[in-house]
Amino acid sequence: MKIIMLGAPGAGKGTQAKMIAEKYSIPHVSTGDIFRANIKNGTELGKQAKEYMDAGKLVPDELTVKILLDRVAQDDCAGGYVLDGFPRTIPQAQVLEDALNKLGDKIDYAINVDVPDENIVRRMSGRRACLKCGATYHIEHIPPKQEGICDTCGSELVLRDDDKPETVLNRLKVYHEQTQPLIDFYTERNVLKTVDGTRDMKDVFNDIIAILG
Ligand code: AP5
Ligand code: MG
């Protein structure tokens, strides 16, 4: 099963993708997590990506597409995957579609996690992320057992550099301009499913399971 998560920054794509990956035993592939791991490890890619991410802009397609195609070509993705944060532009969606077409394959579901802008800014300031294993918490809704420490791997939790309110507003603007058109793109391909992302994360997940079967 090949699944794409769509939705504004902070809609809960990562939270839901992790649960989907676990339930269906498929890899969770997040371009944001790949970039953050590269920034943490000080790679050349990380240096290039950081500049764009800190400004709330998209990393250019030239850098993003190759990384994603290399990742989904790995053995563990042969039985499917859940993509979180990719595609984010029509050209990225087109490249992915062409690559899958060549393999006689296609995306099965594009899950749109719908959350209005006004809820987003509130959510982001409370988010805490583990840069080591990618786990995400929220200081009010989903707190870690021990403050500031990841339940899964014991690393320190941080407020992401791009979760400052002014950067969040810019990310929302970029989302509406460049990523929202993907809703039409996947509607035309008959794979778009929208869920109400404002509810409790377990309720959102139940809606998604009902769609995926
Ligand atoms: P990325 O890491 O993908 O960030 P994003 O799209 O901005 O999304 P987020 O990770 O911020 O939010 P999310 O939807 O995953 O929400 P989460 O589950 O964490 O990308 C970061 C940057 O990298 C981009 O800005 C760009 O520069 C670059 N980039 C990445 N991919 C790219 C690409 N393909 N092309 C170009 N550039 C790219 O949830 C948010 C918070 O809410 C958490 O605290 C969570 O605990 C909480 N929460 C989740 N669900 C609920 C709920 N139901 N109720 C209450 N709280 C909830
Ligand atoms: Mg995420």
Side-chain angles (χ1 to χ4, degrees):
M1 191 153 50
K2 297 187 176 63
I3 305 163
I4 287 172
M5 303 304 292
L6 292 178
K13 300 181 296 296
T15 303
Q16 297 298 329
K18 248 190 152 52
M19 294 193 277
I20 293 170
E22 217 162 280
K23 180 169 169 67
Y24 296 94
S25 302
I26 50 177
H28 168 204
V29 176
S30 157
T31 38
D33 285 351
I34 294 173
F35 289 137
R36 281 185 288 278
N38 275 276
I39 291 172
K40 190 161 176 252
N41 295 328
T43 69
E44 190 48 43
L45 170 68
K47 279 181 206 142
Q48 291 179 326
K50 186 172 181 2
E51 206 184 303
Y52 296 98
M53 291 171 73
D54 285 355
K57 294 182 185 158
L58 294 186
V59 177
D61 288 348
E62 304 83 82
L63 289 178
T64 311
V65 163
K66 185 177 180 311
I67 289 161
L68 190 277
L69 292 183
D70 285 351
R71 177 66 191 89
V72 297
Q74 286 170 21
D75 288 348
D76 64 331
C77 287
Y81 41 77
V82 50
L83 299 186
D84 159 20
F86 187 101
R88 250 189 167 85
T89 62
I90 295 281
Q92 289 182 12
Q94 200 63 63
V95 168
L96 177 64
E97 185 170 77
D98 293 347
L100 287 170
N101 267 341
K102 276 191 198 139
L103 303 168
D105 211 343
K106 64 175 187 52
I107 291 297
D108 299 299
Y109 297 99
I111 307 278
N112 176 32
V113 185
D114 188 32
V115 178
D117 287 9
E118 50 271 27
N119 298 34
I120 298 280
V121 181
R122 239 178 300 140
R123 268 194 197 180
M124 306 300 246
S125 56
R127 172 164 60 183
R128 296 294 179 271
C130 175
L131 296 183
K132 183 147 184 247
C133 76
T136 297
Y137 301 86
H138 191 282
I139 50 177
E140 287 162 41
H141 310 298
I142 314 157
K145 291 195 184 80
Q146 194 186 339
E147 195 185 321
I149 304 291
C150 179
D151 292 351
T152 314
C153 73
S155 300
E156 194 188 341
L157 299 176
V158 298
L159 176 69
R160 272 169 45 180
D161 286 341
D162 58 349
D163 279 348
K164 289 176 269 171
E166 64 274 22
T167 311
V168 170
L169 291 177
N170 205 23
R171 284 162 64 196
L172 277 170
K173 185 165 170 278
V174 168
Y175 166 75
H176 290 299
E177 287 169 1
Q178 303 200 48
T179 308
Q180 214 172 11
L182 292 177
I183 291 178
D184 287 343
F185 183 94
Y186 288 109
T187 300
E188 282 162 21
R189 279 140 185 90
N190 281 322
V191 294
L192 190 92
K193 304 282 177 189
T194 296
V195 294
D196 176 359
T198 61
R199 293 165 322 131
D200 186 90
M201 56 185 263
K202 290 196 191 71
D203 296 329
V204 180
F205 187 52
N206 284 334
D207 282 359
I208 294 177
I209 294 173
I211 293 164
L212 301 180

